[in-house]
Amino acid sequence: MELNRRTVIAGAAAAGMAATTLGGTAHATGGRKPVKTLFGKLADGTKVYSWSLENGGTRLKVLSWGGVVQSLEIPDRRGRYANVSAGFDNLEDYVAKTPYFGALIGRYGNRIGKGKFTLDGKNYQLSVNDGEQSLHGGAQGFDKRVWDVEPFTQGSDVGLHLYYTSVDGEMGYPGTLKAKVTYTLTRHGDWRIDYEATTDKATVVNLTSHVYWNLGGEGSGTIEDHELRIAGSRYTPTDAGLIPTGELAKVAGTPFDFTRAKPIGRDIRTSHPQLVTAKGFDHNWVLDKGITARPEHVATLRDPSSGRTLKIATNEPGLQFYSGNFLDGTLTGPSGRTYRQGDALCLETQHFPDSPNKPSFPSTVLRPGQTYRTTTIHTFGC
């Protein structure tokens, strides 16, 4: 029988087991004030800091560079901790090599076709950085900016407020956008992300988080044995440039059907044209719940070997599932092991890709006087 994670943590604490790093033993923790340490310096001398948070049995390290989640540690069914997010142990690799490991993404998560869109009759050309497309905000998106970080403790919660102001015209986007993202670790060990943004000119915005998950532990190998369920009965097929065609296709009878939990590797190597084009899963699921006032449960990921689970709740209408198709063995994580294709996966809550060019998709337009708000909650179990 699978144990409740809180029972595992409480039991470890009662036994007096001490917590350690990877491979260590879990213990119950209360919220502590986040700890700041120097992580490195950019070429221009700008200092980048690491913030360490711990609460409810979850440990989180966040960088001021890109709002990156550098590590996230949770226990398995036997109370043993592991970092379940891919990344690096040094700033230089984040700057020069990262495929968005753990980063905050903006102004626009995912792709915009040919880096162009029209808003209120005016044409905009964005930074193009993925073939002909603009990906994740362009060549110098929010993932490559130093954020201002303000730690907080509130009741039994601990967290960080992250701030970044994107000036009018940055990466081709209109309007000065003031973004605030809050990372919170709750007393139950949930990791909550609250996104906010305002603008002084009509613009488009679609913020998300790009954590690469492996619930078996960073560097432990393939995620194809992970079991995934997505509460989405449709998805958005793409063209050769991974831009949605505009169709909302049914998942029933296709490899894209995750309405019931199944191993990721079960259908990933079939000859379905969409899997061939993307070299695996790299698609947006249309969540059955649509846009909601409050976060609702939309996905569950489980590693049968460790027993670790991740449940995701959001008020967003879409979820991008990316199966790590372009990891090619050239990147090395903190474990000293290389990341190969399928060694980690992403579950990015979002509005749909290329929405500014697809009037039938939910709108991503933000206007002066409005506040962009969205929330995603990650709940861990074992």
Coordinates of all heavy atoms in Angstrom, one line a residue, residues 89 96 148-149 163 265 281 340:
D89 N 25.2 22.8 -11.5 CA 25.8 23.2 -10.2 C 26.6 24.5 -10.4 O 27.3 24.9 -9.4 CB 26.6 22.1 -9.6 CG 27.8 21.7 -10.5 OD1 28.0 22.3 -11.5 OD2 28.4 20.7 -10.1
A96 N 25.4 29.7 -20.5 CA 25.9 29.3 -21.9 C 25.2 28.2 -22.5 O 25.1 28.1 -23.7 CB 27.4 29.0 -21.8
D148 N 15.0 40.7 -9.2 CA 15.1 41.2 -7.8 C 14.3 40.2 -7.0 O 13.1 39.9 -7.3 CB 14.5 42.6 -7.7 CG 15.3 43.7 -8.4 OD1 16.5 43.5 -8.5 OD2 14.7 44.6 -9.0
V149 N 14.9 39.8 -5.8 CA 14.3 38.8 -5.0 C 14.0 39.3 -3.6 O 15.0 39.9 -3.0 CB 15.1 37.5 -4.9 CG1 14.5 36.5 -4.1 CG2 15.4 37.0 -6.4
Y163 N 10.8 40.0 -8.9 CA 10.4 41.1 -9.7 C 11.3 41.3 -10.9 O 12.5 41.3 -10.8 CB 10.4 42.4 -8.8 CG 9.6 42.3 -7.5 CD1 10.1 41.9 -6.3 CD2 8.2 42.7 -7.6 CE1 9.4 41.9 -5.2 CE2 7.5 42.7 -6.4 CZ 8.1 42.3 -5.2 OH 7.3 42.3 -4.1
G265 N 6.5 6.1 -21.9 CA 7.1 5.3 -22.9 C 6.3 4.4 -23.7 O 6.7 3.9 -24.8
F281 N 6.8 13.8 -27.4 CA 5.8 14.7 -27.0 C 6.3 16.1 -26.8 O 7.3 16.3 -26.0 CB 5.1 14.2 -25.7 CG 4.4 12.9 -25.9 CD1 5.0 11.7 -25.3 CD2 3.2 12.8 -26.5 CE1 4.3 10.5 -25.5 CE2 2.5 11.6 -26.7 CZ 3.1 10.4 -26.1
R340 N 20.3 12.6 -21.3 CA 20.1 12.0 -22.6 C 18.6 12.3 -22.9 O 17.8 12.6 -22.1 CB 20.4 10.6 -22.7 CG 21.8 10.2 -22.3 CD 21.9 8.7 -22.0 NE 21.0 8.4 -20.9 CZ 20.8 7.1 -20.5 NH1 21.3 6.1 -21.1 NH2 20.0 6.9 -19.5

